[in-house]
Amino acid sequence: QVQLVESGGGLVQPGGSLRLSCAASGSIFNIYAMGWYRQAPGKQRELVASINRDSGTNYADSVKGRFTISRDNVKNTVYLQMNNLKPEDTAVYYCRRYSSGIVYPSVHDSWGQGTQVTVSS
């Protein structure tokens, strides 16, 4: 049973930066695709960025050029570097482990508990 623990959220001013981390334990890490999602109040959860087994990445249009997803297969951790943050980036950010090496949603995927990111002056 995989466990995903997010960290790194907090309050930041517009234009600032944060780096989120998602540490995985309990299963092999490097064979699975990983993703970061976010959910703002009153809105549906949306994909922010994903990284497959081979470190191929994909981003939502709203974060392209500002956010970078990466993975460290030694530390079993996936990161989300967020730069030039905007108030509309405010949300709870969730880590997702897909059930395969590609980004293909499944009922067998695992989620972390989420970390709050608030962008406000």
Side-chain angles (χ1 to χ4, degrees):
Q1 184 79 11
V2 64
Q3 291 184 328
L4 303 172
V5 180
E6 299 103 332
S7 60
L11 173 63
V12 64
Q13 292 186 343
S17 298
L18 284 174
R19 188 176 82 154
L20 305 183
S21 300
C22 172
S25 62
S27 72
I28 299 172
F29 177 77
N30 62 342
I31 64 174
Y32 295 105
M34 302 292 295
W36 284 99
Y37 286 69
R38 67 186 180 188
Q39 187 167 19
K43 294 188 176 182
Q44 289 190 330
R45 192 173 296 188
E46 62 175 359
L47 175 64
V48 176
S50 63
I51 185 166
N52 64 25
R53 177 179 56 193
D54 300 319
S55 294
T57 59
N58 187 53
Y59 297 92
D61 288 342
S62 59
V63 306
K64 281 181 181 176
R66 301 188 298 122
F67 291 10
T68 302
I69 189 171
S70 61
R71 64 190 301 158
D72 185 331
N73 291 335
V74 174
K75 295 183 178 180
N76 288 358
T77 300
V78 62
Y79 302 99
L80 185 68
Q81 178 67 44
M82 304 186 295
N83 298 327
N84 190 22
L85 282 160
K86 304 175 180 181
E88 52 263 41
D89 295 317
T90 296
V92 178
Y93 284 70
Y94 297 91
C95 174
R96 179 179 192 169
R97 194 206 74 174
Y98 295 89
S99 299
S100 73
I102 61 173
V103 179
Y104 190 83
S106 163
V107 295
H108 302 294
D109 294 347
S110 300
W111 292 87
Q113 82 289 350
T115 185
Q116 177 70 46
V117 171
T118 302
V119 185
S120 175
S121 55

